[in-house]
């Protein structure tokens, strides 16, 4: 089995977790409160990914100015991505203000999940440059993070009235960004200097920070009023990822 094939196989772990979360949303009763809880949990996990995996690696090894610049650039890039999504949903916005907000919000969450899965692949591909063991740790750690994300994404489309056949295609499409991220990082970053690899991680971290803080949390607030349970889900998601990452790192 070639090393590239092993990396791509590991990259399927996060995609499988995301699809599993989507299936839970498909075959269970989804409410706006559950959707809000899942979105808060997903945001907490993303904060954990940034704080535990991405930012420490990037800022510990890359030149501080380069890491900081890449982090900021990632946030700017996501804002541009959001603007593109708004333009793509312009025709829907012309129908009614409510349907426009619904369609746009669902696709923004989709974009945030795509970005996170791409970063999962990027992490796995870059980690494989050090060792396949590290890539395995990163892949298993991401599975737990992606289950609530998949649930939130598909539940959001379900809430907007998107047909099931299209929702299943959307769920299946999540395999593309994670494989693309793993393949890109393996081919382009593997033989690069460590500083270049870490700057790429910093860019991804900045991207995810904006996605989690602005879009995912914003959609959670729009889905249902905050409760103590949903608010604590942010801390719970962070702690869950921290425990998973620590356990597999220790193992």
């Amino acid at each position: 089995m070639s090393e590239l094939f092993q990396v791509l196989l590991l990259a399927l772990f996060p995609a499988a977790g995301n699809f599993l979360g989507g299936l839970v949303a498909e075959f269970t009763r989804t409410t706006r409160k559950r959707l809000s809880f899942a979105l808060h949990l997903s945001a907490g996990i993303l904060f954990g990914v940034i704080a535990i995996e991405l930012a420490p690696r990037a800022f510990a090894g890359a030149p501080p100015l380069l890491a900081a610049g890449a982090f900021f650039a990632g946030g700017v890039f996501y804002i541009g991505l959001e603007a593109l999504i708004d333009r793509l949903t312009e025709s829907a916005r012309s129908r009614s203000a409510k349907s426009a907000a619904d369609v746009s919000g669902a696709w923004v969450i989709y974009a945030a999940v795509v970005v996170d899965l791409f970063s999962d692949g990027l992490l796995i591909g870059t980690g494989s440059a050090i060792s396949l063991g590290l890539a395995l740790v990163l892949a298993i750690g991401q599975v737990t993070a992606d289950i609530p994300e998949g649930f939130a994404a598909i539940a959001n489309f379900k809430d907007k009235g998107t047909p099931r056949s299209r929702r299943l295609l959307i769920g299946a499409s999540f395999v593309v960004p994670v494989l693309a991220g793993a393949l890109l990082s393996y081919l382009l970053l593997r033989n690069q200097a460590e500083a270049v690899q870490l700057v790429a991680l910093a860019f991804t971290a900045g991207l995810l920070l904006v996605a989690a803080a602005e879009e995912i949390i914003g959609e959670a607030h729009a889905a249902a009023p905050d409760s103590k349970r949903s608010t604590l889900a942010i801390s719970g998601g962070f702690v869950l990822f921290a425990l998973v990452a620590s356990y597999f790192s220790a193992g």
Side-chain angles (χ1 to χ4, degrees):
M1 184 184 296
S2 69
E3 188 177 50
L4 176 58
F5 182 80
Q6 289 177 307
V7 171
L8 294 179
L9 186 62
L10 291 175
L12 290 177
F13 283 29
N18 196 281
F19 190 72
L20 176 61
L23 288 180
V24 172
E26 283 291 346
F27 298 106
T28 61
R29 188 172 67 92
T30 59
T31 65
R32 287 186 171 269
K33 287 185 177 181
R34 289 182 181 178
L35 175 57
S36 177
F37 179 86
L39 287 167
H40 279 92
L41 184 67
S42 177
I45 292 173
L46 284 181
F47 290 143
V49 171
I50 296 165
I52 296 169
E53 292 290 346
L54 299 184
R57 292 176 185 269
F59 283 91
L65 285 178
L66 280 179
F71 195 97
F72 184 78
V76 172
F77 180 82
Y78 190 85
I79 292 173
L81 179 63
E82 181 186 5
L84 176 61
I85 293 170
D86 287 340
R87 289 188 61 183
L88 292 175
T89 57
E90 186 176 355
S91 60
R93 279 202 288 277
S94 64
R95 298 171 190 169
S96 71
K98 183 179 184 301
S99 65
D102 285 349
V103 174
S104 178
W107 283 108
V108 164
I109 293 300
Y110 176 86
V113 174
V114 165
V115 167
D116 181 50
L117 285 170
F118 182 81
S119 75
D120 290 350
L122 185 64
L123 276 175
I124 292 168
T126 305
S128 69
I130 301 172
S131 73
L132 283 176
L134 175 60
L136 176 62
V137 169
L138 293 172
I140 295 175
Q142 296 303 323
V143 171
T144 304
D146 288 315
I147 291 176
E149 279 188 5
F151 176 89
I154 299 304
N156 216 343
F157 280 105
K158 187 177 179 181
D159 182 64
K160 312 313 183 194
T162 303
R164 171 172 286 182
S165 59
R166 186 175 299 176
R167 296 198 303 266
L168 290 174
L169 286 176
I170 289 170
S173 73
F174 286 136
V175 72
V176 175
V178 68
L179 289 179
L183 183 62
L184 182 67
S185 60
Y186 181 87
L187 296 178
L188 298 183
L189 297 177
R190 184 173 183 80
N191 296 321
Q192 297 294 326
E194 183 183 18
V196 175
Q197 298 173 347
L198 295 175
V199 165
L201 291 185
F203 179 86
T204 305
L207 228 157
L208 290 180
L209 182 64
V210 175
E214 293 296 324
E215 303 302 341
I216 294 182
I217 292 293
E219 277 295 303
H221 292 166
D226 272 356
S227 64
K228 292 183 177 63
R229 181 170 172 265
S230 64
T231 301
L232 284 175
I234 298 178
S235 296
F238 188 99
V239 169
L240 176 62
F241 183 82
L243 290 174
V244 170
S246 298
Y247 175 80
F248 284 105
S249 294

